[in-house]
Amino acid sequence: MSNTSKSLLVQGYEVVIGFETHAQLATQSKIFSRAPTAFGAEPNTQACAVDLALPGTLPVMNQGAVELAIRLGLALGSHIAEQSVFARKNYFYPDLPKGYQISQFEIPVVQGGEVGFFLGDEKKTVRLVRAHLEEDAGKSLHEDFIGQSGIDLNRAGTPLLEIVTEPDMRSSAEAVAYAKELHKIVTWIGICDGNMQEGSFRCDANVSVRKPGAPLGTRREIKNLNSFKFMQQAIDYEIRWQIEEIEDGRAIQQATVLFDPDTGETRAMRTKEDAADYRYFPDPDLPPLVIARDWVEQVRAGMPELPRQMAERLVRDYGLPEYDATTLTQSPAMAAYFETAAKACGQAKLVSNWIMGEVSRRLNADESDMAAVPVTAAQLASLIGRIADGTVSNNAAKQVFDALWTGEGSEVDAIIEAKGLKQMNDTGALEKIIDEVMAANAENVAQFRAGKEKAFNALVGQVMKASKGKANPQQVNDVLRQKLQ
């Protein structure tokens, strides 16, 4: 269902956002030819006769691309059409050698479905209209040629899945949360590498504003948003711009716009075409795409557990809060790391806290991801086991973790021993320290007995200092309170 019921108003206007996302499919070759799709090759070295549209060439469907489309449909609860049709989308552009793009129009391969995600604590759902297969165009290069443009056809024919939503989003924050969730799903199920810098996951946002209850406003499409940060900035700017235009008595013209990260502004590129302008008609060189039901079931059998399902299982099986479970299922690597560590030490919540805290903090600082974590899940489990059984305090555990991270040591117990981090659990020795601290801090003792709780904290601090941080804080609290009373 749409989220219109809880809309945020901006200066008295309701914001309406729909998305079109181009996910580059993770195939080895192009959608209608055998030319390779690897990124970064010299210009025009990965385009064959079919991609160049030389006379006498015919497109041949890449079965792998269809299978990846089926995977997305299964992941999002969509209908996978038994029969879909490829169409020619006619327009002229220098990097489109055929003069048309092969896409799908009236009958796409994936129909309907939805993407569910959390925005803070609130569950949101964005409905999908469709996801259709198509080929990418080439690329015009303007930087390297004075007064001229170069054409690189390496991308021509690269397989794309265009994923189109209903206009269900009501704020830039919601739009970015949707895009992040979709990005997570396509990378999780292995249909797209999700590399936004290389253009593997490109988002177009259709943005309009209206007074509450009024018909939909005229939309402007922000093209090729290739980072979540720019996505939010572009949509926020566009919302403010449209409201100012309307307030000044000007009508919004339907247009395609680009976002300039340097100025933080959107600027119109061209007036927006409608479907009729493209003169779609079925491609006579390609028969209808027929997908047998047993093929769909075969693909379903090989699907991984999806992030949302896994999050629900982590809540159910490990007693984790919803927030933890959602955070831990950001990637298959993070989820697997958590489960391995939690099973090894039986302290699921502590493991979750460490992954979301210390591990994530260090990965962010190193600009790295879970695949590069230098501390194994087994090492983390061993360390957490030592926190749980009182061998080390939390602060000491961070020193052990630091040694594991930097490669200073690999065995948790050996690091604890070498650094002298073992927590003092000898009650007799602790009582002796507490007696000495109480004798040396008679004023704090008197203040506590007069009802000042702050004095108790001061005494705890003195005991921890005297024990060189090795006393068990909980034990200090218990024994000290007992003695003071």
Side-chain angles (χ1 to χ4, degrees), residues 394-434:
N394 251 319
N395 282 340
K398 284 180 182 172
Q399 292 179 54
V400 178
F401 189 77
D402 192 53
L404 291 169
W405 193 276
T406 56
E408 194 185 322
S410 59
E411 289 291 325
V412 169
D413 289 338
I415 296 168
I416 292 169
E417 205 60 53
K419 289 182 174 286
L421 296 171
K422 196 173 278 191
Q423 199 159 239
M424 180 194 293
N425 287 310
D426 178 347
T427 313
L430 179 60
E431 285 193 16
K432 188 169 179 289
I433 291 171
I434 288 174

Short mmCIF file of all heavy atoms in Angstrom, two decimals, residues 394-434:
data_model
loop_
_atom_site.label_atom_id
_atom_site.label_comp_id
_atom_site.label_asym_id
_atom_site.label_seq_id
_atom_site.Cartn_x
_atom_site.Cartn_y
_atom_site.Cartn_z
N ASN A 394 35.07 -4.59 29.98
CA ASN A 394 34.80 -4.07 28.63
C ASN A 394 35.97 -3.25 28.10
O ASN A 394 36.34 -3.36 26.94
CB ASN A 394 33.53 -3.22 28.64
CG ASN A 394 32.40 -3.92 27.91
OD1 ASN A 394 32.61 -4.53 26.87
ND2 ASN A 394 31.22 -3.86 28.48
N ASN A 395 36.54 -2.42 28.98
CA ASN A 395 37.66 -1.57 28.55
C ASN A 395 38.88 -2.41 28.17
O ASN A 395 39.55 -2.15 27.17
CB ASN A 395 38.04 -0.58 29.66
CG ASN A 395 37.07 0.59 29.70
OD1 ASN A 395 36.39 0.84 28.71
ND2 ASN A 395 37.01 1.28 30.82
N ALA A 396 39.15 -3.43 28.99
CA ALA A 396 40.29 -4.31 28.69
C ALA A 396 40.03 -5.08 27.38
O ALA A 396 40.95 -5.29 26.58
CB ALA A 396 40.51 -5.30 29.84
N ALA A 397 38.76 -5.47 27.18
CA ALA A 397 38.40 -6.20 25.95
C ALA A 397 38.72 -5.37 24.71
O ALA A 397 39.14 -5.90 23.68
CB ALA A 397 36.93 -6.58 25.98
N LYS A 398 38.52 -4.04 24.80
CA LYS A 398 38.82 -3.17 23.66
C LYS A 398 40.32 -3.18 23.34
O LYS A 398 40.72 -3.11 22.18
CB LYS A 398 38.32 -1.75 23.92
CG LYS A 398 36.81 -1.64 23.78
CD LYS A 398 36.30 -0.26 24.03
CE LYS A 398 34.76 -0.25 23.93
NZ LYS A 398 34.18 1.01 24.35
N GLN A 399 41.14 -3.29 24.39
CA GLN A 399 42.60 -3.37 24.17
C GLN A 399 42.96 -4.70 23.49
O GLN A 399 43.82 -4.74 22.61
CB GLN A 399 43.34 -3.26 25.51
CG GLN A 399 43.22 -1.88 26.16
CD GLN A 399 43.97 -1.84 27.49
OE1 GLN A 399 45.15 -2.16 27.55
NE2 GLN A 399 43.26 -1.46 28.54
N VAL A 400 42.28 -5.77 23.90
CA VAL A 400 42.52 -7.09 23.28
C VAL A 400 42.09 -7.03 21.80
O VAL A 400 42.80 -7.49 20.91
CB VAL A 400 41.73 -8.20 24.01
CG1 VAL A 400 41.95 -9.56 23.32
CG2 VAL A 400 42.13 -8.28 25.48
N PHE A 401 40.92 -6.42 21.57
CA PHE A 401 40.39 -6.32 20.21
C PHE A 401 41.36 -5.53 19.32
O PHE A 401 41.59 -5.88 18.16
CB PHE A 401 39.01 -5.64 20.24
CG PHE A 401 38.29 -5.68 18.94
CD1 PHE A 401 37.65 -6.83 18.50
CD2 PHE A 401 38.24 -4.56 18.11
CE1 PHE A 401 36.98 -6.88 17.28
CE2 PHE A 401 37.59 -4.59 16.90
CZ PHE A 401 36.94 -5.75 16.48
N ASP A 402 41.92 -4.46 19.89
CA ASP A 402 42.87 -3.64 19.15
C ASP A 402 44.09 -4.47 18.72
O ASP A 402 44.56 -4.37 17.58
CB ASP A 402 43.30 -2.46 20.02
CG ASP A 402 44.06 -1.42 19.20
OD1 ASP A 402 43.52 -0.98 18.18
OD2 ASP A 402 45.20 -1.08 19.59
N ALA A 403 44.56 -5.31 19.64
CA ALA A 403 45.72 -6.17 19.33
C ALA A 403 45.37 -7.18 18.24
O ALA A 403 46.18 -7.46 17.35
CB ALA A 403 46.17 -6.89 20.60
N LEU A 404 44.15 -7.72 18.28
CA LEU A 404 43.70 -8.66 17.24
C LEU A 404 43.60 -7.94 15.89
O LEU A 404 44.01 -8.46 14.86
CB LEU A 404 42.32 -9.24 17.60
CG LEU A 404 42.25 -10.19 18.80
CD1 LEU A 404 40.79 -10.45 19.19
CD2 LEU A 404 42.94 -11.53 18.50
N TRP A 405 43.05 -6.73 15.92
CA TRP A 405 42.82 -5.96 14.68
C TRP A 405 44.14 -5.60 13.99
O TRP A 405 44.24 -5.66 12.76
CB TRP A 405 42.03 -4.69 15.01
CG TRP A 405 41.48 -4.00 13.80
CD1 TRP A 405 42.12 -3.10 12.99
CD2 TRP A 405 40.16 -4.14 13.26
NE1 TRP A 405 41.29 -2.68 11.98
CE2 TRP A 405 40.07 -3.29 12.12
CE3 TRP A 405 39.03 -4.88 13.61
CZ2 TRP A 405 38.93 -3.18 11.34
CZ3 TRP A 405 37.88 -4.76 12.84
CH2 TRP A 405 37.83 -3.93 11.72
N THR A 406 45.12 -5.21 14.80
CA THR A 406 46.39 -4.78 14.22
C THR A 406 47.36 -5.93 13.96
O THR A 406 48.47 -5.73 13.47
CB THR A 406 47.08 -3.74 15.14
OG1 THR A 406 47.23 -4.33 16.44
CG2 THR A 406 46.28 -2.47 15.26
N GLY A 407 46.95 -7.16 14.35
CA GLY A 407 47.80 -8.32 14.11
C GLY A 407 48.89 -8.49 15.15
O GLY A 407 49.83 -9.27 14.97
N GLU A 408 48.76 -7.77 16.28
CA GLU A 408 49.76 -7.86 17.35
C GLU A 408 49.71 -9.24 18.02
O GLU A 408 50.69 -9.70 18.59
CB GLU A 408 49.46 -6.76 18.36
CG GLU A 408 50.57 -6.48 19.36
CD GLU A 408 50.13 -5.45 20.40
OE1 GLU A 408 49.41 -4.49 20.05
OE2 GLU A 408 50.52 -5.63 21.56
N GLY A 409 48.56 -9.87 17.96
CA GLY A 409 48.40 -11.22 18.51
C GLY A 409 47.21 -11.88 17.85
O GLY A 409 46.42 -11.22 17.18
N SER A 410 47.10 -13.21 18.01
CA SER A 410 45.97 -13.91 17.39
C SER A 410 45.16 -14.72 18.40
O SER A 410 44.03 -15.11 18.12
CB SER A 410 46.46 -14.82 16.26
OG SER A 410 47.37 -15.77 16.78
N GLU A 411 45.74 -14.97 19.58
CA GLU A 411 45.04 -15.76 20.61
C GLU A 411 44.56 -14.82 21.72
O GLU A 411 45.36 -14.13 22.34
CB GLU A 411 46.00 -16.80 21.22
CG GLU A 411 46.33 -17.95 20.28
CD GLU A 411 45.13 -18.86 20.04
OE1 GLU A 411 44.34 -19.04 20.99
OE2 GLU A 411 44.98 -19.35 18.92
N VAL A 412 43.26 -14.83 21.95
CA VAL A 412 42.67 -13.93 22.94
C VAL A 412 43.31 -14.11 24.32
O VAL A 412 43.75 -13.15 24.96
CB VAL A 412 41.13 -14.13 23.01
CG1 VAL A 412 40.53 -13.41 24.21
CG2 VAL A 412 40.49 -13.62 21.71
N ASP A 413 43.37 -15.36 24.81
CA ASP A 413 43.91 -15.61 26.16
C ASP A 413 45.38 -15.21 26.27
O ASP A 413 45.81 -14.67 27.29
CB ASP A 413 43.73 -17.09 26.55
CG ASP A 413 42.26 -17.42 26.80
OD1 ASP A 413 41.50 -16.47 27.09
OD2 ASP A 413 41.87 -18.60 26.71
N ALA A 414 46.14 -15.44 25.20
CA ALA A 414 47.57 -15.09 25.22
C ALA A 414 47.74 -13.57 25.30
O ALA A 414 48.61 -13.06 26.01
CB ALA A 414 48.25 -15.63 23.96
N ILE A 415 46.88 -12.81 24.59
CA ILE A 415 46.96 -11.33 24.63
C ILE A 415 46.59 -10.84 26.03
O ILE A 415 47.26 -9.96 26.59
CB ILE A 415 46.03 -10.70 23.56
CG1 ILE A 415 46.49 -11.08 22.15
CG2 ILE A 415 46.00 -9.18 23.70
CD1 ILE A 415 45.48 -10.75 21.05
N ILE A 416 45.53 -11.41 26.61
CA ILE A 416 45.10 -11.01 27.97
C ILE A 416 46.26 -11.21 28.95
O ILE A 416 46.57 -10.34 29.77
CB ILE A 416 43.86 -11.82 28.41
CG1 ILE A 416 42.64 -11.43 27.57
CG2 ILE A 416 43.56 -11.61 29.90
CD1 ILE A 416 41.43 -12.35 27.74
N GLU A 417 46.92 -12.37 28.83
CA GLU A 417 48.04 -12.73 29.73
C GLU A 417 49.22 -11.77 29.51
O GLU A 417 49.76 -11.19 30.45
CB GLU A 417 48.46 -14.18 29.43
CG GLU A 417 49.14 -14.89 30.61
CD GLU A 417 48.24 -14.97 31.85
OE1 GLU A 417 47.10 -15.44 31.74
OE2 GLU A 417 48.71 -14.52 32.91
N ALA A 418 49.60 -11.60 28.24
CA ALA A 418 50.78 -10.78 27.91
C ALA A 418 50.61 -9.33 28.34
O ALA A 418 51.56 -8.68 28.77
CB ALA A 418 51.06 -10.86 26.41
N LYS A 419 49.38 -8.82 28.24
CA LYS A 419 49.14 -7.40 28.57
C LYS A 419 48.68 -7.22 30.03
O LYS A 419 48.40 -6.10 30.45
CB LYS A 419 48.09 -6.82 27.61
CG LYS A 419 48.60 -6.63 26.20
CD LYS A 419 47.55 -5.99 25.31
CE LYS A 419 48.09 -5.66 23.94
NZ LYS A 419 48.98 -4.49 23.93
N GLY A 420 48.55 -8.33 30.76
CA GLY A 420 48.13 -8.24 32.16
C GLY A 420 46.75 -7.63 32.32
O GLY A 420 46.52 -6.77 33.17
N LEU A 421 45.82 -8.06 31.49
CA LEU A 421 44.49 -7.44 31.47
C LEU A 421 43.43 -8.22 32.26
O LEU A 421 42.27 -7.85 32.28
CB LEU A 421 44.01 -7.28 30.02
CG LEU A 421 44.84 -6.33 29.15
CD1 LEU A 421 44.40 -6.43 27.69
CD2 LEU A 421 44.71 -4.90 29.65
N LYS A 422 43.86 -9.33 32.88
CA LYS A 422 42.89 -10.18 33.58
C LYS A 422 42.23 -9.40 34.72
O LYS A 422 42.91 -8.72 35.48
CB LYS A 422 43.57 -11.44 34.11
CG LYS A 422 42.60 -12.54 34.49
CD LYS A 422 43.31 -13.83 34.85
CE LYS A 422 43.70 -14.62 33.62
NZ LYS A 422 44.15 -15.98 33.96
N GLN A 423 40.91 -9.49 34.76
CA GLN A 423 40.15 -8.78 35.79
C GLN A 423 40.35 -9.43 37.16
O GLN A 423 40.45 -10.65 37.26
CB GLN A 423 38.66 -8.83 35.41
CG GLN A 423 37.80 -7.81 36.08
CD GLN A 423 36.50 -7.58 35.31
OE1 GLN A 423 36.22 -6.49 34.89
NE2 GLN A 423 35.72 -8.63 35.13
N MET A 424 40.43 -8.61 38.21
CA MET A 424 40.61 -9.15 39.56
C MET A 424 39.28 -9.71 40.05
O MET A 424 38.29 -8.99 40.15
CB MET A 424 41.06 -8.01 40.48
CG MET A 424 41.28 -8.42 41.90
SD MET A 424 41.40 -6.97 42.95
CE MET A 424 42.93 -6.26 42.38
N ASN A 425 39.25 -11.00 40.33
CA ASN A 425 38.02 -11.61 40.85
C ASN A 425 38.22 -12.18 42.25
O ASN A 425 37.36 -12.87 42.77
CB ASN A 425 37.53 -12.72 39.89
CG ASN A 425 36.93 -12.11 38.62
OD1 ASN A 425 36.08 -11.23 38.71
ND2 ASN A 425 37.38 -12.55 37.46
N ASP A 426 39.37 -11.87 42.84
CA ASP A 426 39.70 -12.33 44.20
C ASP A 426 39.04 -11.38 45.20
O ASP A 426 39.45 -10.23 45.36
CB ASP A 426 41.23 -12.31 44.36
CG ASP A 426 41.67 -12.74 45.75
OD1 ASP A 426 40.81 -12.81 46.65
OD2 ASP A 426 42.87 -13.00 45.93
N THR A 427 37.99 -11.86 45.89
CA THR A 427 37.22 -11.00 46.79
C THR A 427 38.08 -10.46 47.93
O THR A 427 37.97 -9.29 48.31
CB THR A 427 36.02 -11.78 47.38
OG1 THR A 427 35.37 -12.45 46.31
CG2 THR A 427 35.02 -10.86 48.03
N GLY A 428 38.97 -11.31 48.45
CA GLY A 428 39.84 -10.89 49.56
C GLY A 428 40.71 -9.70 49.17
O GLY A 428 40.79 -8.69 49.90
N ALA A 429 41.36 -9.80 48.00
CA ALA A 429 42.23 -8.72 47.53
C ALA A 429 41.43 -7.45 47.28
O ALA A 429 41.87 -6.33 47.59
CB ALA A 429 42.95 -9.15 46.25
N LEU A 430 40.21 -7.62 46.75
CA LEU A 430 39.35 -6.47 46.47
C LEU A 430 38.93 -5.78 47.76
O LEU A 430 38.95 -4.55 47.87
CB LEU A 430 38.12 -6.91 45.65
CG LEU A 430 37.12 -5.80 45.30
CD1 LEU A 430 37.78 -4.71 44.46
CD2 LEU A 430 35.92 -6.38 44.55
N GLU A 431 38.55 -6.57 48.75
CA GLU A 431 38.12 -6.00 50.04
C GLU A 431 39.24 -5.17 50.66
O GLU A 431 39.00 -4.11 51.23
CB GLU A 431 37.68 -7.12 51.00
CG GLU A 431 36.32 -7.69 50.62
CD GLU A 431 35.73 -8.58 51.73
OE1 GLU A 431 36.22 -8.50 52.86
OE2 GLU A 431 34.78 -9.30 51.43
N LYS A 432 40.46 -5.66 50.54
CA LYS A 432 41.63 -4.95 51.10
C LYS A 432 41.76 -3.56 50.43
O LYS A 432 41.95 -2.56 51.11
CB LYS A 432 42.89 -5.79 50.85
CG LYS A 432 44.15 -5.29 51.54
CD LYS A 432 45.24 -6.36 51.44
CE LYS A 432 46.54 -5.90 52.09
NZ LYS A 432 47.22 -4.86 51.33
N ILE A 433 41.62 -3.53 49.08
CA ILE A 433 41.72 -2.25 48.35
C ILE A 433 40.59 -1.31 48.78
O ILE A 433 40.82 -0.12 49.03
CB ILE A 433 41.67 -2.49 46.81
CG1 ILE A 433 42.94 -3.20 46.35
CG2 ILE A 433 41.49 -1.18 46.05
CD1 ILE A 433 42.92 -3.66 44.90
N ILE A 434 39.38 -1.87 48.92
CA ILE A 434 38.23 -1.04 49.29
C ILE A 434 38.42 -0.45 50.68
O ILE A 434 38.14 0.73 50.91
CB ILE A 434 36.91 -1.85 49.18
CG1 ILE A 434 36.57 -2.09 47.70
CG2 ILE A 434 35.75 -1.12 49.88
CD1 ILE A 434 35.38 -2.98 47.44
#
